[in-house]
Amino acid sequence: MLFSSITFIFAFLPIVLILYYGVCRKSRTAQNVLLTLASLFFYAWGEPKFVLVMIGSIMLNWLFALLIDKKRSNDTLCRVIVALSVIANLGILFIFKYLNFTLDNLSKLGLPVTVTSIALPIGISFFTFQAMSYVIDVYRKDGAVQKNPINIALYISFFPQLIAGPIVRYQTVAEQIQGRKETFEDFSKGICRFIIGFCKKVLLSNIMALVADAAFNADERSVSFAWIGAIAYTFQIFYDFSGYSDMAIGLGRMFGFHFLENFDYPYMSRSVSEFWRRWHISLGTWFRDYVYFPLGGSRVKTKSRLVLNLFAVWFLTGVWHGANWTFIIWGLMYFVLIALEKLTHFAEKLKGFGVVYTLFFVVMGWVLFRAESLSLAVEYMKNMFGVGSSGLVCDKVIFYLSENKFEFIFALLFCIPVFKYVPEKIKNSKASNVIYPLALMTVFIFAVSCIVKGSYNPFIYFNF
Amino acid sequence: MKYKITAVALSAFLALFAVLYVYTVFTEVFDVSDAEKTSFSYFKNMLLTIRDKGDSTVPFKERYIAAKGIYDRITLKRYYEYENQSVARLDNGYLVYGSNEKKDCDVQTLADAVAQFDECLRGDGIDLIYVQAPEKLCQNDKSTRLPIGIYSESPDISEFMSCIRENGVDCIDLEERLHAGGKDHYGLFFRSDHHWKPETGFWANQLLCEKLQNEYGYEIDDRVTDTDQYNCTVYKDCFIGPQGRRAGYLSAPKDDFSLIYPKFDTDLTFTINNEEYIGSFENTVLRSEYINTGMFTSHSLYYAYTDKVCDFKIIKNNNDPNGKKVVLLCDSFGWTVAPYLALTCGQVHMLDLREVKGVSAYDYAKNIGADTVVILYNAGFVGADESFFDFFSVKE
């Protein structure tokens, strides 16, 4: 089920809220059971059989954590259990996500393997990483073990962050699973955050998707169309992903959970390293805390070791995003750029120009990310620089820019924290108590009307 | 405080629509007996149905589409994309079908098909007249161009008509005639519907009658083509066609709709879907039940002329039972022509070749002993569906 669907907005969410704050309001256990069942139902909506994979993952990690807690005095054994849990989790991920890709490449190398076709459960990368976080955090004593499997099921499968993140680390919510406190203040801010995310997804990302898809699927494109398409995709993925994160954070808050922020105006970054501190923060910190730091991080004796650590992180980051060479090359591009930045500190000298430098590589990176194959990505990039393109400008550029001028303007505008520049006096004025709800409700109704009309509403997380 | 007010407002909105949505889904989507409602398979089917149809079953759907239309107007959009037919707004407010992909159409092949049909009919002593309705988008008017990057769904009609003429087929190019007569091009069409107005259909019949009388020996009562011999009831601002519904009814232009019917006595038999209606013009070919059906219904007011799409519609003029027989191969543009044409002859057989099965157009004309075959297509349908120009095949 998608957040940006009528069934979710008008049926699933209201029913869960009514049951949560109605029938189950007096018992935390009942509330957790409700949210868990609702989350499994939410997940099973698209493809019911994959919910078994998730339940299997939940049970496995629940048992691993219990074992660790029980054998706490024997650190070697605990390490072995952690290692086993990591192998088991990555094994599940490998079978569903990377086996097809691996066999396909082996067969291309001429090895006698049979290429399989295993369907990818949506969000498997997200919930597997959360599951791993649980076992590791319990081992590290960053969070208490959950004796009740319902609680761990809720942590792993909680529907707001289930299919598109953010990756909520166990230590962030360990205490909230039982001890969270729902307030009307939180509920109010949560619902507003949800609307903002919903509108970002429907009114900006989906429109940008139309432009990007037209450019990427075109048989031939002019230089400007190639650039417009790449920029549109840059906006699409930002407003889609950050919109989903906003919705997840907002929904979590409506049920009393506080998740960490996942985006912090990444397109304002002055270096690629900074970009990755602002983009998909939950994934970045996950890799930092569970891969980069355990390998030694930046505090290593030799530069070659630092480079090796960075390579491991960025190779894995690329692979995490999808089983395709485009994602691996995309991850390795960031490895090269970040390694250069760390070794030479050249980005610090760029000052204001750093934004241009960062955005250039980010946009190029998104072309790689969006293209269906490396050859198509190269062909697209060639078009961007006039090689093999059909002229400088074409009708399509004029059409898409004139039709979507406001979306482009707002997409550009909301990449910077415009509302921070609004004086507090205005923000807290009495008029804002009328204008803010009216504006938000109006935009929300417009966004719902786009969904009802059946406007383009792509889901871009199938690879994750 | 502002967050709390928003939360209250949105919660109320969601609660209200949740109730309406659940009610709509359960009343519109499911149709099962009470006994089945208790079974597991019912529950399973219910979830599957909601999954498949839940997103398209929304209470007040037309209102939401209207809200989307307002949003599109606010954001100055001129192109409303739909899976089947997308709509573009011209500078003068008229809506037309358009596409962001250029469509190729081999007009010569279509013209050759008409010529071959003409030749065969001539061999059987049947005349053929090709009547080309004008395109809603006026290609000569530079002030009402489509947005850059959007292309008309119609092929080059002037090129098509040149091919028709070169092939020696007798024809009436209504676009040429309307410009020669100094008529207002857009005034002939609805703003929110791709059809021409009933008044335009009446005018087309006048031109056709002129040709039939002068060149094909039809004896036509002067009253039939005289506008003064007709009553015209105009329903003001009551019509929003499918193009307008795509753009959203609140932001779409509203059109007047006219019912034009004779002042003189008429006696017709109108057959559609094996049902016969006998009586005066307004009680047979005029289907006034479609008037005042509201703007949100899926019905078009245009159905007021000879009803919905149907393979065969036959109008017999009981005042001239031995009169000429005309076969009219047409799309919906013919619906506002055929009723008036029927007053000039004995029978008009309307065939919609998209729907006709079991007989070819050629065999049908021969079998009924037609005197004349008239082909009348709107520009948007030329090349859109190959069955329009397939006069010899028999579809099963």
Side-chain angles (χ1 to χ4, degrees):
Chain A
M1 196 183 294
L2 304 180
F3 295 154
S4 53
S5 68
I6 295 302
T7 319
F8 180 83
I9 298 280
F10 288 148
F12 182 86
L13 182 60
I15 291 169
V16 174
L17 279 171
I18 287 166
L19 293 174
Y20 186 85
Y21 285 107
V23 183
C24 305
R25 75 178 186 281
K26 287 186 177 165
S27 162
R28 175 64 73 212
T29 307
Q31 286 180 323
N32 285 352
V33 170
L34 169 74
L35 289 182
T36 305
L37 292 176
S39 298
L40 294 176
F41 180 81
F42 175 88
Y43 190 73
W45 189 249
E47 189 52 78
K49 65 184 177 191
F50 289 137
V51 83
L52 298 174
V53 178
M54 180 185 282
I55 291 169
S57 170
I58 289 166
M59 296 311 293
L60 203 64
N61 287 287
W62 173 65
L63 285 171
F64 277 129
L66 278 181
L67 269 176
I68 288 169
D69 193 53
K70 205 172 177 185
K71 306 289 177 189
R72 184 67 76 185
S73 53
N74 186 343
D75 191 52
T76 313
L77 185 58
C78 286
R79 280 169 178 267
V80 171
I81 297 167
V82 170
L84 282 174
S85 82
V86 170
I87 291 167
N89 280 300
L90 293 182
I92 295 170
L93 197 57
F94 179 80
I95 289 168
F96 284 101
K97 191 165 175 177
Y98 304 108
L99 187 61
N100 291 345
F101 175 67
T102 309
L103 292 176
D104 186 40
N105 280 284
L106 288 176
S107 116
K108 279 177 188 163
L109 288 172
L111 293 173
V113 290
T114 311
V115 179
T116 57
S117 174
I118 299 171
L120 178 68
I122 290 173
I124 190 168
S125 302
F126 287 105
F127 72 71
T128 303
F129 270 40
Q130 290 210 172
M132 286 164 70
S133 157
Y134 169 61
V135 178
I136 297 168
D137 283 0
V138 167
Y139 167 70
R140 288 176 175 177
K141 296 180 185 168
D142 286 335
V145 72
Q146 294 288 349
K147 300 260 171 19
N148 185 345
I150 290 293
N151 290 342
I152 193 62
L154 174 60
Y155 160 65
I156 292 174
S157 70
F158 190 32
F159 71 87
Q161 33 78 16
L162 181 56
I163 49 173
I167 301 168
V168 179
R169 290 165 59 191
Y170 180 62
Q171 57 180 271
T172 311
V173 293
E175 288 178 9
Q176 296 176 36
I177 291 172
Q178 275 298 336
R180 66 186 178 275
K181 210 170 187 180
E182 299 88 345
T183 63
F184 187 53
E185 176 87 20
D186 264 344
F187 182 86
S188 306
K189 287 188 174 168
I191 211 163
C192 293
R193 186 73 185 267
F194 175 79
I195 298 176
I196 290 167
F198 183 80
C199 295
K200 277 163 88 169
K201 159 71 182 154
V202 177
L203 298 178
L204 290 178
S205 173
N206 286 356
I207 298 293
M208 291 296 135
L210 272 174
V211 184
D213 286 0
F216 277 88
N217 296 335
D219 295 330
E220 57 175 27
R221 52 189 86 80
S222 64
V223 174
S224 53
F225 192 39
W227 275 100
I228 289 296
I231 291 167
Y233 186 68
T234 302
F235 286 138
Q236 179 200 346
I237 194 160
F238 173 57
Y239 287 107
D240 202 296
F241 208 172
S242 71
Y244 261 97
S245 291
D246 286 339
M247 287 189 268
I249 291 167
L251 286 167
R253 213 158 169 182
M254 287 159 75
F255 293 103
F257 286 91
H258 289 255
F259 302 148
L260 298 178
E261 291 297 330
N262 209 21
F263 290 86
D264 182 20
Y265 301 99
Y267 293 154
M268 291 175 69
S269 306
R270 292 179 176 216
S271 68
V272 170
S273 307
E274 187 188 348
F275 171 78
W276 274 101
R277 287 194 295 273
R278 290 166 171 262
W279 177 274
H280 203 173
I281 298 165
S282 62
L283 180 71
T285 50
W286 197 100
F287 274 115
R288 184 193 67 195
D289 292 350
Y290 298 122
V291 179
Y292 190 60
F293 284 173
L295 288 173
S298 305
R299 293 175 185 172
V300 284
K301 287 176 185 165
T302 62
K303 283 185 178 176
S304 57
R305 180 61 203 234
L306 172 66
V307 170
L308 188 70
N309 291 352
L310 288 171
F311 175 82
V313 167
W314 289 102
F315 174 76
L316 290 174
T317 301
V319 169
W320 183 87
H321 282 86
N324 192 330
W325 284 108
T326 52
F327 296 115
I328 295 170
I329 300 297
W330 174 77
L332 293 179
M333 181 194 84
Y334 281 114
F335 152 67
V336 172
L337 291 168
I338 290 172
L340 279 174
E341 284 182 8
K342 280 203 183 295
L343 293 173
T344 66
H345 303 282
F346 78 93
E348 292 161 21
K349 294 165 198 157
L350 294 172
K351 294 180 180 166
F353 187 70
V355 177
V356 179
Y357 144 75
T358 307
L359 279 179
F360 175 79
F361 282 105
V362 166
V363 171
M364 288 299 149
W366 290 138
V367 171
L368 257 175
F369 195 91
R370 169 64 179 76
E372 278 158 26
S373 67
L374 275 180
S375 58
L376 288 173
V378 170
E379 190 192 324
Y380 194 97
M381 284 183 190
K382 277 181 175 175
N383 289 169
M384 290 172 83
F385 295 100
V387 182
S389 58
S390 57
L392 209 57
V393 185
C394 58
D395 282 358
K396 286 186 187 299
V397 175
I398 299 168
F399 167 68
Y400 282 113
L401 281 180
S402 62
E403 270 299 291
N404 305 303
K405 47 190 167 291
F406 286 103
E407 284 83 354
F408 271 102
I409 290 168
F410 281 114
L412 194 64
L413 201 63
F414 294 142
C415 282
I416 54 173
V418 276
F419 292 109
K420 280 187 183 164
Y421 302 124
V422 178
E424 287 298 319
K425 205 175 160 185
I426 295 174
K427 278 187 199 169
N428 299 325
S429 66
K430 282 185 178 173
S432 75
N433 290 337
V434 178
I435 294 167
Y436 183 85
L438 263 180
L440 219 53
M441 282 296 290
T442 307
V443 181
F444 177 67
I445 288 170
F446 281 146
V448 172
S449 72
C450 291
I451 299 293
V452 172
K453 190 218 149 193
S455 301
Y456 193 45
N457 188 17
F459 181 74
I460 60 173
Y461 307 102
F462 287 112
N463 285 318
F464 295 178
Chain B
M1 179 58 82
K2 60 190 174 190
Y3 300 114
K4 290 180 180 172
I5 296 170
T6 312
V8 170
L10 192 83
S11 300
F13 175 82
L14 282 183
L16 176 69
F17 272 84
V19 170
L20 290 171
Y21 177 74
V22 172
Y23 175 78
T24 310
V25 166
F26 275 85
T27 52
E28 287 187 12
V29 177
F30 306 117
D31 182 20
V32 290
S33 68
D34 287 342
E36 286 174 316
K37 282 181 182 173
T38 53
S39 67
F40 175 75
S41 63
Y42 168 73
F43 182 71
K44 188 182 161 194
N45 286 338
M46 180 184 77
L47 289 180
L48 289 174
T49 312
I50 294 174
R51 194 180 71 177
D52 296 341
K53 295 183 181 172
D55 279 350
S56 57
T57 310
V58 186
F60 303 116
K61 189 172 182 176
E62 290 285 355
R63 264 76 170 177
Y64 275 111
I65 292 173
K68 172 74 170 77
I70 292 173
Y71 176 77
D72 287 341
R73 288 305 293 271
I74 293 170
T75 53
L76 303 180
K77 294 210 185 326
R78 291 182 58 194
Y79 184 63
Y80 310 97
E81 197 154 7
Y82 270 80
E83 268 178 36
N84 44 5
Q85 279 182 307
S86 300
V87 170
R89 182 187 293 273
L90 303 177
D91 291 332
N92 60 1
Y94 277 71
L95 300 168
V96 294
Y97 287 128
S99 166
N100 54 9
E101 296 294 335
K102 267 185 187 165
K103 283 179 185 166
D104 292 326
C105 176
D106 183 0
V107 291
Q108 183 65 55
T109 305
L110 299 178
D112 290 347
V114 177
Q116 191 193 353
F117 188 39
D118 182 33
E119 196 180 320
C120 292
L121 289 174
R122 220 180 295 157
D124 294 304
I126 304 169
D127 299 314
L128 174 80
I129 304 169
Y130 185 90
V131 181
Q132 180 58 59
E135 186 183 353
K136 185 174 177 183
L137 175 73
C138 183
Q139 300 285 2
N140 299 334
D141 186 350
K142 288 184 179 161
S143 66
T144 54
R145 288 276 177 222
L146 284 165
I148 293 173
I150 296 299
Y151 309 99
S152 168
E153 294 216 311
S154 309
D156 187 336
I157 288 300
S158 58
E159 189 190 337
F160 174 63
M161 289 310 291
S162 298
C163 297
I164 289 277
R165 282 193 200 94
E166 278 169 22
N167 285 346
V169 177
D170 194 8
C171 62
I172 304 174
D173 183 349
L174 291 173
E175 178 136 354
E176 197 179 78
R177 299 290 291 268
L178 82 90
H179 290 152
K183 280 189 178 289
D184 168 24
H185 183 105
Y186 286 101
L188 302 179
F189 290 91
F190 292 111
R191 288 180 294 177
S192 66
D193 191 278
H194 61 289
H195 290 110
W196 57 17
K197 291 178 177 173
E199 289 87 342
T200 317
F202 186 87
W203 168 71
N205 184 58
Q206 285 176 317
L207 297 181
L208 180 59
C209 288
E210 191 183 294
K211 187 179 252 309
L212 290 171
Q213 191 168 30
N214 297 340
E215 299 174 31
Y216 294 93
Y218 278 57
E219 289 174 16
I220 294 174
D221 183 345
D222 287 345
R223 292 180 303 171
V224 173
T225 53
D226 182 359
T227 46
D228 291 339
Q229 297 296 324
Y230 287 81
N231 292 310
C232 181
T233 309
V234 180
Y235 297 87
K236 286 275 178 196
D237 290 336
C238 69
F239 181 38
I240 293 181
Q243 293 174 329
R245 286 205 289 270
R246 280 172 167 79
Y249 77 93
L250 284 177
S251 59
K254 293 177 184 65
D255 283 293
D256 298 342
F257 193 84
S258 307
L259 285 185
I260 304 167
Y261 51 97
K263 290 175 181 169
F264 51 89
D265 284 341
T266 51
D267 183 8
L268 303 174
T269 300
F270 177 50
T271 309
I272 180 170
N273 291 326
N274 298 320
E275 284 192 47
E276 274 192 353
Y277 301 88
I278 302 168
S280 65
F281 185 97
E282 51 272 37
N283 290 325
T284 52
V285 288
L286 282 195
R287 319 298 301 165
S288 53
E289 63 265 32
Y290 291 112
I291 304 287
N292 297 327
T293 49
M295 288 178 186
F296 307 123
T297 61
S298 57
H299 294 149
S300 168
L301 262 64
Y302 202 76
Y303 295 157
Y305 286 87
T306 75
D307 218 307
K308 295 180 187 177
V309 174
C310 184
D311 48 1
F312 299 99
K313 296 176 184 175
I314 300 164
I315 311 169
K316 288 183 181 166
N317 183 358
N318 301 325
N319 289 336
D320 186 10
N322 300 317
K324 303 254 190 188
K325 289 179 184 171
V326 177
V327 172
L328 179 63
L329 307 180
C330 63
D331 53 41
S332 50
F333 275 52
W335 301 354
T336 51
V337 176
Y340 308 108
L341 182 61
L343 302 176
T344 68
C345 54
Q347 297 177 16
V348 173
H349 295 246
M350 300 162 70
L351 270 65
D352 187 326
L353 293 187
R354 287 169 299 181
E355 306 292 323
V356 171
K357 291 189 178 82
V359 64
S360 70
Y362 173 64
D363 288 338
Y364 187 87
K366 230 170 40 167
N367 294 345
I368 67 156
D371 297 289
T372 310
V373 172
V374 176
I375 305 174
L376 194 165
Y377 289 144
N378 92 74
F381 279 8
V382 173
D385 189 327
E386 58 185 28
S387 49
F388 279 127
F389 288 86
D390 183 359
F391 307 107
F392 298 100
S393 298
V394 179
K395 273 200 290 187
E396 296 305 325

